[in-house]
Amino acid sequence: MYRRHFHLKERPFQLVPTPSYLFPSRCHQEALGHLTYALETGEGFVEVTGEVGTGKTTLLRTFLEGLDETVSVACIFNPTLNAVELLQSINRDFGIDAASSSRSDLTAALQRFLIENREMGKKALLVIDEAQNLSIEVLEELRLLSNLETTRAKLLQTVLCGQPELGEMLERYELRQLAQRISLACRLQPLSSEETHDYIIHRLKRASLGARGDLFTPRARAQVYRYSGGTPRVINICCDRALLCGYVAGKDRVDVGAVKKAVAELADRPYMDRTLLGRPLPAWGVAVLGVAIVFMAGFLVFGTSLWHPEATQRIPVAATDGAASTAPPATYGLFDLFDEAGVAESVPWGVRRIMGAWGHTLSASELPAIGDPYLLLSAVAAPLGMEVMPMDGDLDRAMAFGLPVLMLFGSGGQGPLAMVFEGAEEHGLLRFQSSKGIVELSKGDADRLWSGRALIACTNPLGFSEVVTERSGLQEVIALESALSRAGFHGVSVDGRFDVETLRAVHALQEAYGILSDGMVGDLTRVALAAALKNGLPGTPERVAAHDRQKGEIP
């Protein structure tokens, strides 16, 4: 509709993964370099992760398009398969026998092909997209396939590409053997503000009949970044709608007003909430079907007294954002707090409170107009060098870090209600902004209404998101050792060697926060390290010595 008006040969912000439109951001260039290096050196497994919409599939297609006939490729883009179906799909893509339903027959056929392929001087590459959907059984089958090798080289190289949940899966104890075989891992991050500006110009030039990239004014591009947080898919959705709004208004260029109008239109679309979040939202309509079900939940949780007009629950209400009122606590019915105004303010207030806990004071006007809590928190945190970690379904684990947690509740169909948990797990308080003021609830009362979604925003103490292990490079290990030393593990030498002392410190840190003690620094261990740097270790650094005495040796 708008192509002729803006002199475009095609829509520049389509959502299909088109390699020619790949924007060479620093992060994407590094990921392409990792993939190319892994293929050239014969690495067995490579892991590529990133949130929904960060360009993983486009990256893969670009990488695959650059391969020549010396590489035989099998691609799995729908990994909801069992082990036999996976083998059949791999064999089919390689052009070999896939008719059998016997795992041994399929594996034997694959091994024969891989040996013949190697004798012809070719490499074999298996690429699996959306790998976070693989079952434990299938991941174990992939590990077994990695045993197909000669005395000199792996016969099959594998790229696992997926959402951050893939990294969490690989940290599970039963998958430790597979995790140990991943030699290279990279994480796609959202674009920076400057990269977002360049991304928009890049795609417009690709689609323009006159190589014009200035259809969006600088202020319009800045507004797109505020809304999208630098996530390419969200940028595309927003820019496509902004072009339509500009066309309808008869403008020659897309200005900030057109972008704001586009954002306002998109904010009311449930589809956008599901897409932008990066994972399916809990169905608020299923969990809380309107105000009537909220009242029924209250009846079941708090007793029949809530049905009576005179029945109330005493909740202290703070006078300001920081200090509680000295006046006697006001008395409100529980569901007086779930009004439209309170719900609308709770998420922005919660985001500002969490950022304030990390020393970043933000006014309400500084927050981008993003309705989804995860995206809003990410958009605010990313430019400040912070990352957001979903802790869905495990509130105790989220609280164990002693960091502020944004908890999301159903609120009678009005949208997510956000509360911030602050303080130690045993004595902490939940606070949220309601139309009655800042309300405090005990954890015991509040977690009965919890939706199952929780978010932690924290500084990234390492400055990168790759998993750090004994096989990591010099700079990654130095960053880890420096952070451990600052956290109180004074026996760790900052020398770039992942030695026994470094491994002891990592184990002790993991045990201090009750996470899997595997000696690998993944997402949860980074959060634990951020918590230790902010609040100090639970206990003292002598925890390292105690750990050694109890274990006798490093596991």
Side-chain angles (χ1 to χ4, degrees), residues 258-275:
V259 175
K260 288 183 176 179
K261 181 173 176 58
V263 169
E265 292 177 359
L266 294 170
D268 295 330
R269 294 170 61 188
Y271 164 78
M272 287 292 293
D273 287 340
R274 289 194 297 271
T275 302

Side-chain angles (χ1 to χ4, degrees), residues 249-311:
K251 297 179 180 180
D252 293 331
R253 299 180 72 194
V254 176
D255 59 15
V256 68
V259 175
K260 288 183 176 179
K261 181 173 176 58
V263 169
E265 292 177 359
L266 294 170
D268 295 330
R269 294 170 61 188
Y271 164 78
M272 287 292 293
D273 287 340
R274 289 194 297 271
T275 302
L276 304 187
L277 177 60
R279 55 181 55 83
L281 276 174
W284 305 111
V286 176
V288 187
L289 291 176
V291 177
I293 295 185
V294 172
F295 274 88
M296 181 59 74
F299 176 77
L300 294 174
V301 174
F302 295 100
T304 56
S305 61
L306 282 174
W307 288 102
H308 300 289
E310 68 277 7

Side-chain angles (χ1 to χ4, degrees), residues 415-468:
L417 171 72
M419 295 187 182
V420 177
F421 180 82
E422 299 169 304
E425 183 176 357
E426 298 83 2
H427 308 294
L429 291 172
L430 282 144
R431 297 184 174 93
F432 70 95
Q433 176 74 53
S434 80
S435 59
K436 313 299 182 185
I438 297 176
V439 176
E440 295 182 349
L441 297 177
S442 71
K443 174 181 178 293
D445 285 339
D447 64 8
R448 296 169 186 163
L449 297 178
W450 181 44
S451 71
R453 293 191 61 215
L455 304 169
I456 288 180
C458 64
T459 58
N460 184 338
L462 303 182
F464 54 84
S465 299
E466 289 83 1
V467 176
V468 183

Side-chain angles (χ1 to χ4, degrees), residues 46-125:
V46 179
E47 175 192 350
V48 179
T49 57
E51 281 292 353
V52 166
T54 50
K56 299 184 298 297
T57 301
T58 304
L59 174 76
L60 284 181
R61 293 189 185 277
T62 303
F63 171 65
L64 293 174
E65 279 199 358
L67 301 179
D68 58 24
E69 65 279 359
T70 63
V71 182
S72 301
V73 180
C75 296
I76 309 294
F77 289 102
N78 179 25
T80 54
L81 309 167
N82 61 35
V84 171
E85 291 169 337
L86 175 74
L87 287 169
Q88 290 172 332
S89 296
I90 294 172
N91 285 12
R92 193 177 298 115
D93 261 31
F94 279 135
I96 57 179
D97 179 29
S100 175
S101 59
S102 165
R103 291 172 68 172
S104 60
D105 291 346
L106 291 166
T107 302
L110 177 58
Q111 185 167 18
R112 284 194 301 272
F113 164 78
L114 293 175
I115 292 173
E116 293 170 359
N117 190 68
R118 176 66 65 173
E119 289 176 349
M120 290 188 293
K122 293 185 177 182
K123 296 182 178 181
L125 177 66

